[in-house]
Amino acid sequence: MTRTNFGNLTGRDLEGFHTGGDTEAWRRLGSHVVEVQDPTRGALRGTRFAVWAPNARRVQVMGDFNWWQGDDMELVPGSGVWALWKEDVLEGTRYKYKIQHADGTWQEKVDPYAFHSQRPPENASVVWTSHHEWAPSEDEWLARRAAADPYHSQMSIYELHLGSWRKGLGYTQLVEELPEYVRWMGYTHVELMPVMAHPLAASWGYQVTGYYAADSRYGDPDELRVLIEALHAAGIGVILDWVPGHFPRDDWALGRFDGTALYEHADPRQGVHPDWGTYVFNYGRNEVKSFLVSNALYWVSEFHIDALRVDAVASMLYLDYSRKEGEWVPNKYGGRENLEAIDLLRYVNKHLYERQPGVMMIAEESTSFPGVTKPVHEGGLGFGFKWNMGWMNDSLEYIELDPIYRQYHHNEMTFAMVYAYSENYILPISHDEVVHGKGSMVNKVPQDDWRKFSTLRTFYSFMWAFPGKQLLFMGQEFGERAEWNEEAGLEWWVDGMQWHKGLRDMMREINLVQAATPALYERDCEPDGFSWINANDWMANTFSWLRYGADHEREIVACMANFSPEPYEQYAIRVPRPGVWREILNTSDTRWDGDGGYENGVLTTFVGEDGTDQLMVRVPPLSGLWLAYDPVASAHQDR
């Protein structure tokens, strides 16, 4: 076979892929419309197909262009990659690979590197070339991102599932509604649940069959690019969930790709996930390394994604994850850590931070594995942030209690400060907390609607003033009562009703006040950005603490959260600066359907019996308060 028939692909082009060092493998593998030079006919256009199947006896490509009968591919010399160039096969062509196993049986497979695919339940790969031209504003966005400091910036994240945020909308329709809503609500980022091709809608994208293909249920890849561009134009960063921990067993996808365990481990003790019944990647195989690191870079570079949130990191880190004694294989040192997965995560994180200035890597990691957000060169995994699953579990258990019992669980709301600075944390109330019988956020809270919504407003004010960045799943900002159901979509008709509208409007206010108050975000990751005023008032179900900005003397906010239905007309709190303090948030405000009547307005300190500067605060029932120090008014008062 001549080089022309390989579509300009050579064995040398694939050396990096086979050594695990190709971080842009999508440029070589998969289907690409390329031009080749023919000695007699000149330049010819067609599609080059290339697929890694080293243990196959024979490989064919079949599709629209050959009536699905199959054309034989050939091995690229010095490689386990089969390739074929087909003249006049262009964008939009549907295709699959037909692979003959060593035992002579045949299996049809979709392309692991396909950029586009049919809409489920159909699953053929589609030849695709992007024709999207990024607007000049994207260069400005990427430049600002590169110069940004996420650790000292506000980060308020709105997590959503594209298919059910507003049911029936595709990428193009979402352009008209999603950026405007997220900007109006004051969020800084959206986090999209996986948009990679997947056959089962109920998996929400977490069981991926097309790692390089955008979900065709909502449109084509360029329409997704337009949506991302519109979000950036609205000032909204885009976080995308990425799933390198496992993949489904669908017989037409990655599993047993060439008749052998190619992408996964052959030993089920290593290659099968017991919880989900899925395959686990063989992280030690070089070609799998190239596949995964390239996939992470692909979404960041080709779609301008600003951050990847890596799903189920804990399942990757431990060989005995969800496995009983005797059901797992120790590492070479006899330990339970998955050394190959750890190396891969470090490789991916280090490479993306070096290649894409300003990108963030976020770990959904539920254990106490050390150094998740520590740099790779210091022995860490190299993530930028980690979800604080411990804080989430403890705080939700607390608000689910009747107020009379909360005093006995007071420490569940304070314990997170014991380890708050061991990692760079995001505080998540994600989709996982409002499905599968867990109930919506508002229905986690016991008793009547007054208590439900007052408690939820208090909890959100506690969350937004606590050290760490914030993430909230769609629908919880207006108190959706039903559990999230991807088939039904959100209950938007309630967001103008009593309680619901008040909660949503307060969430907008919280985001806007936080953005205008650096003390509430600037030192989220630094211990001297926080101190307790009173962490031990368990009898009153009340917490009070201070947040500090970069200017430790002038940027100070005193925060309170009363999780009791009892008001406190005179509640004294110690503050570090004498002078004037102004109420900047009161969750019992009548604008949010609160009771009102407990406004503090402008307060002036007094000297307590112990000689400390104090404020006498009116604390409403089931409410949160933020009081900001006013250095200008205090200076005038001193005169």
Side-chain angles (χ1 to χ4, degrees):
M1 179 175 283
T2 66
R3 180 175 177 180
T4 299
N5 287 334
F6 283 132
N8 304 325
L9 185 70
T10 69
R12 177 169 293 182
D13 296 327
L14 297 166
E15 288 177 357
F17 172 70
H18 292 302
T19 61
D22 189 350
T23 62
E24 297 184 10
W26 75 86
R27 300 190 186 282
R28 283 156 279 282
L29 279 295
S31 59
H32 295 267
V33 176
V34 296
E35 190 176 272
V36 301
Q37 293 295 324
D38 183 88
T40 57
R41 299 165 60 202
L44 305 175
R45 290 189 76 230
T47 293
R48 181 188 71 217
F49 299 95
V51 61
W52 178 52
N55 302 302
R57 179 187 294 183
R58 189 176 169 194
V59 178
Q60 297 179 336
V61 59
M62 50 190 282
D64 295 333
F65 54 91
N66 60 11
W67 299 278
W68 297 92
Q69 296 305 302
D71 289 329
D72 281 318
M73 305 174 73
E74 294 192 26
L75 279 169
V76 178
S79 167
V81 172
W82 301 74
L84 178 68
W85 179 81
K86 290 290 293 183
E87 184 180 353
D88 292 333
V89 174
L90 304 174
E91 290 92 342
T93 300
R94 297 174 301 161
Y95 71 97
K96 291 183 181 181
Y97 297 119
K98 189 174 180 181
I99 299 175
Q100 187 178 35
H101 304 160
D103 63 3
T105 59
W106 289 87
Q107 180 73 55
E108 293 181 7
K109 293 285 189 178
V110 298
D111 189 346
Y113 287 86
F115 298 143
H116 194 24
S117 63
Q118 284 185 294
R119 180 173 181 146
E122 302 299 324
N123 57 29
S125 301
V126 178
V127 177
W128 180 265
T129 301
S130 175
H131 296 286
H132 179 72
E133 295 184 7
W134 296 97
S137 60
E138 273 296 294
D139 291 335
E140 299 170 10
W141 171 268
L142 295 176
R144 288 197 302 273
R145 188 185 78 184
D149 177 0
Y151 306 108
H152 297 92
S153 302
Q154 184 197 22
M155 191 186 303
S156 177
I157 304 167
Y158 187 59
E159 184 195 30
L160 71 147
H161 176 259
L162 286 178
S164 58
W165 182 71
R166 288 193 184 273
K167 191 70 176 175
L169 301 188
Y171 301 129
T172 300
Q173 294 78 28
L174 286 164
V175 167
E176 304 301 320
E177 299 193 29
L178 181 60
E180 180 181 0
Y181 178 76
V182 176
R183 178 171 60 181
W184 182 81
M185 282 295 296
Y187 289 100
T188 64
H189 292 76
V190 295
E191 179 169 326
L192 306 180
M193 293 165 69
V195 300
M196 298 80 174
H198 56 280
L200 180 64
S203 79
W204 312 327
Y206 292 100
Q207 295 200 11
V208 179
T209 51
Y211 273 80
Y212 289 81
D215 192 344
S216 55
R217 292 175 178 88
Y218 316 124
D220 65 44
D222 279 355
E223 290 171 335
L224 175 58
R225 287 179 170 93
V226 171
L227 174 59
I228 293 167
E229 188 173 72
L231 286 162
H232 287 166
I236 308 299
V238 181
I239 303 169
L240 179 62
D241 281 9
W242 185 52
V243 192
H246 64 118
F247 59 92
R249 292 181 179 229
D250 299 76
D251 61 5
W252 44 267
L254 284 180
R256 302 297 191 264
F257 191 79
D258 63 358
T260 67
L262 193 62
Y263 286 87
E264 70 276 27
H265 280 279
D267 189 333
R269 296 175 298 170
Q270 297 173 285
V272 175
H273 198 294
D275 285 349
W276 304 311
T278 49
Y279 287 129
V280 177
F281 282 105
N282 183 347
Y283 303 109
R285 179 164 284 163
N286 286 335
E287 292 85 356
V288 173
K289 290 180 185 177
S290 291
F291 176 82
L292 289 172
V293 69
S294 295
N295 189 242
L297 182 62
Y298 171 76
W299 289 102
V300 173
S301 65
E302 300 300 303
F303 284 81
H304 291 192
I305 295 297
D306 302 294
L308 293 179
R309 177 272 204 179
V310 184
D311 180 64
V313 170
S315 73
M316 299 174 65
L317 295 178
Y318 299 103
L319 295 164
D320 63 345
Y321 187 88
S322 290
R323 292 179 172 87
K324 299 176 183 178
E325 189 69 30
E327 295 179 349
W328 57 282
V329 180
N331 63 37
K332 62 184 179 181
Y333 301 111
R336 57 194 286 257
E337 295 80 14
N338 189 332
L339 303 179
E340 293 169 342
I342 290 169
D343 285 345
L344 175 84
L345 290 171
R346 287 172 170 163
Y347 179 22
V348 171
N349 289 333
K350 186 174 186 295
H351 188 73
L352 262 67
Y353 274 113
E354 290 175 350
R355 285 285 300 274
Q356 296 291 321
V359 72
M360 292 185 295
M361 298 297 291
I362 303 167
E364 188 230 351
E365 203 282 312
S366 56
T367 75
S368 57
F369 190 92
V372 172
T373 59
K374 194 175 182 180
V376 172
H377 67 270
E378 295 180 11
L381 292 184
F383 285 95
F385 289 94
K386 170 182 171 174
W387 276 20
N388 194 335
M389 309 296 282
W391 172 88
M392 177 272 296
N393 283 312
D394 290 345
S395 59
L396 292 187
E397 286 181 8
Y398 180 84
I399 67 169
E400 288 173 2
L401 296 168
D402 188 290
I404 196 172
Y405 300 118
R406 287 175 183 161
Q407 59 185 311
Y408 306 111
H409 297 265
H410 197 76
N411 66 307
E412 291 184 9
M413 295 293 275
T414 61
F415 180 67
M417 286 311 302
V418 173
Y419 60 87
Y421 303 105
S422 60
E423 304 280 4
N424 303 319
Y425 281 117
I426 290 174
L427 310 179
I429 301 297
S430 74
H431 64 277
D432 276 333
E433 313 322 316
V434 293
V435 291
H436 298 158
K438 296 178 184 176
S440 65
M441 281 296 291
V442 73
N443 278 335
K444 293 181 189 295
V445 183
Q447 301 187 8
D448 59 23
D449 276 356
W450 175 78
R451 286 172 173 81
K452 287 177 181 292
F453 282 87
S454 296
T455 299
L456 205 53
R457 293 195 303 269
T458 306
F459 176 71
Y460 288 155
S461 73
F462 178 94
M463 175 180 175
W464 255 251
F466 206 74
K469 311 306 181 182
Q470 292 79 29
L471 176 145
L472 189 65
F473 183 57
M474 65 180 194
Q476 310 316 305
E477 77 274 18
F478 60 80
E480 174 154 297
R481 294 180 188 267
E483 274 194 341
W484 172 55
N485 179 356
E486 82 282 350
E487 292 296 329
L490 297 185
E491 298 175 343
W492 285 103
W493 59 87
V494 308
D495 82 336
M497 299 171 64
Q498 185 184 17
W499 306 118
H500 300 280
K501 181 179 184 299
L503 179 62
R504 184 203 63 195
D505 289 350
M506 190 213 67
M507 285 305 305
R508 177 174 187 264
E509 182 78 1
I510 276 182
N511 277 327
L512 297 179
V513 173
Q514 186 191 54
T517 312
L520 293 171
Y521 63 79
E522 206 165 43
R523 305 177 94 166
D524 277 329
C525 304
E526 301 170 17
D528 57 359
F530 173 94
S531 65
W532 286 112
I533 297 174
N534 189 347
N536 300 312
D537 194 1
W538 56 272
M539 292 186 68
N541 293 354
T542 298
F543 308 83
S544 53
W545 65 98
L546 296 164
R547 296 299 310 273
Y548 297 91
D551 188 338
H552 206 276
E553 298 298 316
R554 296 168 62 86
E555 297 176 342
I556 316 170
V557 179
C559 307
M560 297 189 66
N562 175 17
F563 285 97
S564 163
E566 298 298 321
Y568 305 108
E569 285 284 353
Q570 292 187 314
Y571 194 102
I573 60 172
R574 298 184 183 92
V575 291
R577 298 285 290 170
V580 177
W581 294 68
R582 297 180 183 275
E583 184 177 85
I584 58 174
L585 183 77
N586 186 327
T587 68
S588 75
D589 195 307
T590 55
R591 291 179 295 166
W592 331 130
D593 296 328
D595 295 335
Y598 291 88
E599 294 78 15
N600 287 283
V602 179
L603 299 176
T604 302
T605 58
F606 66 94
V607 178
E609 293 181 1
D610 60 358
T612 61
D613 296 307
Q614 299 184 19
L615 294 171
M616 191 63 72
V617 184
R618 302 182 72 199
V619 183
L622 292 175
S623 64
L625 298 175
W626 295 350
L627 305 164
Y629 174 63
D630 187 336
V632 176
S634 298
H636 284 296
Q637 185 186 62
D638 292 341
R639 296 195 190 105

